[in-house]
């Protein structure tokens, strides 16, 4: 179950925020096989001056409209899957929300089931075992 924190310029319209969430979600479903019902994305706006970034780091020409995505998920995806995920997110955000691909900044935090509680204050691994998944 990935958990996404999406940071957008504060003046990003609600419809664009929704399109960004949908684009990220569809990329996760298509590229890493995430189940479609695992949608958890917290969107926050940042005001001018609240996010400082290099406009030219690593040879990428960024605008002042950078969308930052922090994706926390269980470890185990290959580098090829991650490459496909990043490309799909950039493509979807450009197509669905008009975000320039150069303005999509993504980073992953990987962890294990033992690092999650997703309801009732229960250890997520217990929930997985209840469903009969290998543990």
């Amino acid at each position: 179950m990935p958990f996404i924190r999406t940071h957008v310029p504060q003046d990003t319209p609600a419809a664009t925020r929704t399109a960004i969430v949908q684009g990220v979600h569809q990329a996760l479903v298509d590229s890493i096989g995430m189940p479609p019902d695992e949608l958890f994305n917290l969107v926050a706006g940042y005001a001018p001056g609240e996010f400082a970034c290099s406009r030219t780091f690593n040879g990428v020409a960024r605008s002042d409209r950078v969308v930052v995505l922090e994706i926390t998920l269980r470890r185990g995806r290959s580098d090829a899957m991650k490459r496909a995920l990043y490309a799909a997110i950039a493509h979807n955000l450009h197509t669905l929300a008009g975000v320039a691909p150069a303005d999509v900044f993504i980073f992953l935090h990987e962890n294990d089931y033992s690092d999650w509680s997703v309801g009732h204050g229960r250890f997520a691994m217990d929930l997985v075992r209840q469903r009969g998944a290998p543990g």
Side-chain angles (χ1 to χ4, degrees):
M1 177 205 90
F3 181 84
I4 300 99
R5 291 171 83 54
T6 301
H7 307 273
V8 298
Q10 190 172 25
D11 64 350
T12 302
T16 303
R17 291 175 187 228
T18 298
I20 289 168
V21 168
Q22 291 171 342
V24 172
H25 182 69
Q26 194 58 52
L28 286 159
V29 170
D30 293 344
S31 61
I32 68 168
M34 185 185 75
D37 71 336
E38 292 188 8
L39 172 59
F40 299 92
N41 192 324
L42 181 62
V43 181
Y46 62 86
E50 289 183 343
F51 176 59
C53 73
S54 169
R55 298 279 186 99
T56 59
F57 175 75
N58 224 19
V60 177
R62 292 172 191 81
S63 77
D64 60 353
R65 311 258 339 139
V66 174
V67 173
V68 179
L69 300 165
E70 297 179 66
I71 303 172
T72 303
L73 72 167
R74 190 174 40 84
R75 79 179 79 254
R77 278 58 178 212
S78 68
D79 285 350
M81 292 173 84
K82 292 174 189 177
R83 282 187 188 98
L85 174 63
Y86 301 154
I89 288 173
H91 171 79
N92 290 355
L93 269 54
H94 181 67
T95 303
L96 299 173
V99 176
D103 287 339
V104 178
F105 191 90
I106 306 163
F107 58 98
L108 297 180
H109 305 283
E110 293 183 300
N111 56 31
D112 295 306
Y113 278 121
S114 62
D115 298 310
W116 296 83
S117 175
V118 297
H120 299 288
R122 294 178 58 195
F123 193 51
M125 183 59 80
D126 292 342
L127 299 174
V128 170
R129 288 183 180 143
Q130 277 183 349
R131 290 193 327 220

